[in-house]
Amino acid sequence: MTQGLIHIAGALGSFGAHMELVNGSCDAHGAAEVLVRKGLAWHCPKCLDAVLANEAHMKMMAQRVADLMQAASIPAKYVDQKFVATSDEQRAVRRTVQLYRDFILNNRAWAALVLVGKTGTGKTLLACELAQSLMNRAARSVHYITAKGMISEIQANYGQPGKSEEADIARFAKYDVLVLDEIDAIPVKDNASLLLTEIVNRRYNENKPVIAISNQPFDHLARFVGERVHSRLHENSFSCACNWGDARRVRQPVGAEVAA
Amino acid sequence: MRDYSKVGPQFWIGKTGKKLRAAGAAAQLVGLYLMTSPHANMTGLYYVSRDSIAHETGLGMEGASKGLQSCIDAEYCSYDDETEMVWVHEMAFFQIADKLSAADKRSAGVQNEYDALPDNPFLGKFFEKYGAPFNMKRNRGAVDNKPIEAPSKPLASQEQEQEQAQEQEQEQAQVARAAPAVPLADLPTAVQLSIAMRTNGIDCQPADPRLIALADQGVTAETAAAACQEAKKAKPGERIGLGYVVAILTRWAADAAKVQATGAAPRQAGNAPGLSDKFVFSHLDRSGDQRAMDESMQRHGITVPGPDEEIEI
């Protein structure tokens, strides 16, 4: 930035006495004559432009990622957290998630990551880690929400001025990736099932991936999400069975060692 | 239809009552009619056509219209000709109470009654006036103009007389107008039951404790509608009360409790009473999950990484 200012300063009269024209050459951009403060070395103006553009891009990207994180609604508990795989089963699941990420970054096609298993096995943690990776690496828009939360959010807008069910469905359909936690736990109402089906179907038709998380065995899911959604979760599915122990039951509370 | 309505002495000698008196006997009669109308409910915001007022007061169309206009001028009520909804401004205070506690079941009853009303221009003002004293939670005052999702019209029985069919059609049209703007499935169950019954010609209100009890016991609108049809078959051409339909539903429930299919699976011991598989799932067979994962790994060419391999997501 300082060099840039010196470059500009040549145009300002009183500074002229302190400036000089210097010739030099850059391997990438060839010879160039630049105005610099007396005594300072020559620099390539095109390289300087590239550095400044890169700085601006990095700043813009950082802001974009911050905006994406804000919109993603990742629960605070899972921000910047990683799933540590310690067994073959866990490594297989982690590798599946990794390849799912590569697939959706390289292909514009429907793909469903299905994370099923008992409570406390790290399904939400894995999904949130993946979501943050997609935002940081590729600036993809991701949204995390429970299926019940999504339905409630839509239904809460019924009758509100300026809101419509259609607009809410379109909103959930437009994220690059949608993480639906507890996809089985929706209200037992036709309207809730219809909303879930409509959103998943629109994403399916638009080749927008879905990450589905559930405590139910995959084979049982149809009873809770309906056959239409279940069928779509089968297509190009990356299935992960998280059936190891509940980490919450073995984890010691903070300060336990001190107390012991 | 309600059994009774409360009309206090202030009706005759209060400030608004005096204005009605000054406007003439027709205004007083229409005012009294609006308080005690068979179409009225406890909220004072309800559907009533000018024809009904004219016919049931005996004033004729001209007299009823003049009387109604005097009531409107005296700020006793408001009337919307498009929706044919009347709002008797102070009626809910007289019929219910000046204020209800949040725990009072009538608070929920008022909200249910309000939720079941058709779109009309008075919903917002009603909420402004009664929202706080009656602990109401949902304001429908700003409802957009979505098409009304009305209950489907049932088929009329061929055995019924034409006159009864016409009467029923009028009632159904009234119920259709009174259908709420939100999807039926999202309304409280008591409201759904009320709509199902009124569609089938049974006069009832969502705040009726019998309807609330049925809703609590898991009776669906479809079952209620079927019970109404059963009642109509048993009493063709007669006016049927809610009590008769409730009796049919009670009988059905008793019959259902006696059914024990041979070889039927007993309730799973692992589940606590009232908790479904949605909340208790540790006992479920998960072998299918591993099978699905193995297939998925095979399909995508995924292999298990070694313990020292870093798997960066």
Side-chain angles (χ1 to χ4, degrees):
Chain A
M1 185 57 84
T2 309
Q3 285 176 319
L5 288 172
I6 294 168
H7 189 63
I8 294 162
L12 304 173
S14 62
F15 288 94
H18 305 288
M19 310 300 282
E20 63 181 349
L21 280 169
V22 180
N23 284 302
S25 179
C26 157
D27 291 342
H29 302 107
E33 186 180 45
V34 293
L35 187 66
V36 298
R37 183 188 284 269
K38 281 179 183 170
L40 288 183
W42 176 88
H43 64 268
C44 172
K46 288 185 178 169
C47 287
L48 177 62
D49 286 347
V51 169
L52 291 175
N54 189 45
E55 277 179 11
H57 176 71
M58 295 297 286
K59 198 172 169 185
M60 188 268 286
M61 284 300 289
Q63 184 58 49
R64 164 100 172 122
V65 170
D67 291 344
L68 288 171
M69 273 297 287
Q70 180 80 21
S73 304
I74 303 287
K77 186 177 181 63
Y78 300 111
V79 172
D80 294 333
Q81 297 298 309
K82 277 192 168 188
F83 175 92
V84 180
T86 56
S87 67
D88 278 353
E89 292 164 302
Q90 293 174 355
R91 277 191 286 275
V93 164
R94 196 166 169 80
R95 170 56 57 83
T96 303
V97 173
Q98 185 191 42
L99 291 185
Y100 174 77
R101 179 206 65 195
D102 292 345
F103 180 86
I104 61 176
L105 287 182
N106 296 323
N107 301 277
R108 187 173 166 73
W110 165 263
L113 176 63
V114 182
L115 295 158
V116 291
K118 295 177 188 173
T119 53
T121 51
K123 300 180 295 298
T124 305
L125 173 59
L126 261 168
C128 289
E129 187 185 347
L130 171 60
Q132 289 169 88
S133 167
L134 289 168
M135 287 185 275
N136 288 322
R137 282 170 180 259
R140 294 290 172 94
S141 64
V142 186
H143 192 69
Y144 167 92
I145 194 164
T146 62
K148 167 77 170 68
M150 182 174 75
I151 303 297
S152 300
E153 216 174 291
I154 295 172
Q155 292 177 339
N157 285 335
Y158 286 156
Q160 297 297 317
K163 302 278 186 181
S164 73
E165 184 184 278
E166 172 54 33
D168 282 327
I169 291 172
R171 179 163 60 86
F172 286 111
K174 83 173 171 25
Y175 295 110
D176 290 331
V177 178
L178 182 64
V179 183
L180 281 175
D181 203 350
E182 295 172 4
I183 194 170
D184 54 291
I186 58 169
V188 192
K189 299 261 186 181
D190 283 351
N191 183 245
S193 300
L194 284 173
L195 287 172
L196 178 67
T197 305
E198 182 62 21
I199 288 164
V200 171
N201 190 41
R202 284 204 198 182
R203 297 190 62 83
Y204 174 82
N205 290 338
E206 295 293 322
N207 289 321
K208 300 257 177 121
V210 160
I211 299 174
I213 306 171
S214 175
N215 291 122
Q216 297 295 335
F218 191 36
D219 295 341
H220 287 219
L221 261 185
R223 287 167 49 198
F224 301 94
V225 301
E227 304 234 336
R228 296 184 183 96
V229 171
H230 198 227
S231 165
R232 283 157 180 76
L233 292 180
H234 273 85
E235 185 172 320
N236 200 19
S237 163
F238 289 68
S239 285
C240 295
C242 305
N243 287 329
W244 44 82
D246 184 339
R248 295 191 189 105
R249 291 172 195 267
V250 296
R251 189 181 297 146
Q252 292 300 305
V254 175
E257 299 92 337
V258 178
Chain B
M1 191 166 62
R2 295 173 304 158
D3 292 328
Y4 66 91
S5 306
K6 292 183 210 166
V7 181
Q10 287 299 312
F11 177 81
W12 304 107
I13 55 175
K15 192 177 156 193
T16 310
K18 283 177 183 168
K19 280 189 192 171
L20 293 182
R21 195 196 312 158
Q28 283 182 306
L29 182 56
V30 170
L32 189 58
Y33 168 81
L34 292 176
M35 276 278 215
T36 56
S37 162
H39 307 279
N41 58 35
M42 63 180 176
T43 65
L45 176 53
Y46 60 92
Y47 169 84
V48 62
S49 67
R50 284 181 185 267
D51 291 339
S52 302
I53 302 173
H55 175 68
E56 283 159 12
T57 56
L59 286 170
M61 201 51 162
E62 193 184 350
S65 290
K66 282 182 183 168
L68 180 61
Q69 190 55 48
S70 301
C71 289
I72 294 167
D73 294 342
E75 295 178 340
Y76 173 80
C77 69
S78 302
Y79 189 82
D80 178 52
D81 276 304
E82 193 182 331
T83 58
E84 299 184 304
M85 292 292 290
V86 70
W87 179 29
V88 184
H89 301 152
E90 301 298 320
M91 185 163 159
F93 283 140
F94 284 106
Q95 302 301 318
I96 304 168
D98 288 338
K99 193 174 180 341
L100 294 175
S101 74
D104 193 319
K105 286 191 174 177
R106 286 177 296 172
S107 292
V110 172
Q111 183 74 57
N112 284 347
E113 196 81 62
Y114 178 78
D115 286 343
L117 290 170
D119 284 352
N120 66 73
F122 312 127
L123 290 168
K125 286 179 182 168
F126 182 91
F127 189 90
E128 271 176 34
K129 189 176 179 75
Y130 294 109
F134 293 165
N135 309 294
M136 294 174 70
K137 295 187 176 75
R138 268 188 308 282
N139 181 3
R140 293 180 52 213
V143 168
D144 56 14
N145 293 323
K146 283 191 286 190
I148 287 172
E149 192 174 321
S152 58
K153 187 174 158 184
L155 292 172
S157 166
Q158 290 179 349
E159 295 162 10
Q160 286 173 333
E161 291 174 13
Q162 196 178 359
E163 186 185 338
Q164 193 202 351
Q166 283 173 352
E167 189 180 300
Q168 193 179 7
E169 272 177 19
Q170 281 176 356
E171 284 177 358
Q172 284 162 4
Q174 185 175 333
V175 171
R177 278 194 293 272
V182 294
L184 282 176
D186 294 315
L187 292 171
T189 311
V191 178
Q192 292 183 38
L193 293 178
S194 167
I195 290 172
M197 294 212 180
R198 283 150 65 181
T199 305
N200 284 283
I202 311 298
D203 196 8
C204 61
Q205 300 295 334
D208 192 305
R210 290 170 294 180
L211 275 193
I212 294 171
L214 289 175
D216 288 344
Q217 288 167 33
V219 174
T220 64
E222 288 81 358
T223 309
C228 294
Q229 293 296 331
E230 175 89 358
K232 283 199 259 185
K233 272 185 201 165
K235 291 186 169 186
E238 289 182 41
R239 192 158 193 93
I240 299 163
L242 175 61
Y244 190 74
V245 181
V246 171
I248 291 174
L249 286 165
T250 309
R251 174 164 55 80
W252 284 359
D255 291 347
K258 291 177 195 162
V259 175
Q260 178 61 60
T262 307
R267 179 180 285 273
Q268 295 208 3
N271 286 11
L275 289 179
S276 67
D277 283 353
K278 194 178 272 192
F279 301 100
V280 181
F281 31 70
S282 56
H283 62 287
L284 299 175
D285 175 20
R286 293 182 179 273
S287 56
D289 292 355
Q290 194 55 51
R291 199 168 49 247
M293 183 170 171
D294 291 343
E295 285 170 12
S296 165
M297 288 177 72
Q298 197 176 6
R299 199 166 52 246
H300 297 293
I302 301 169
T303 53
V304 182
D308 300 327
E309 195 175 335
E310 191 177 350
I311 315 161
E312 189 57 43
I313 297 176

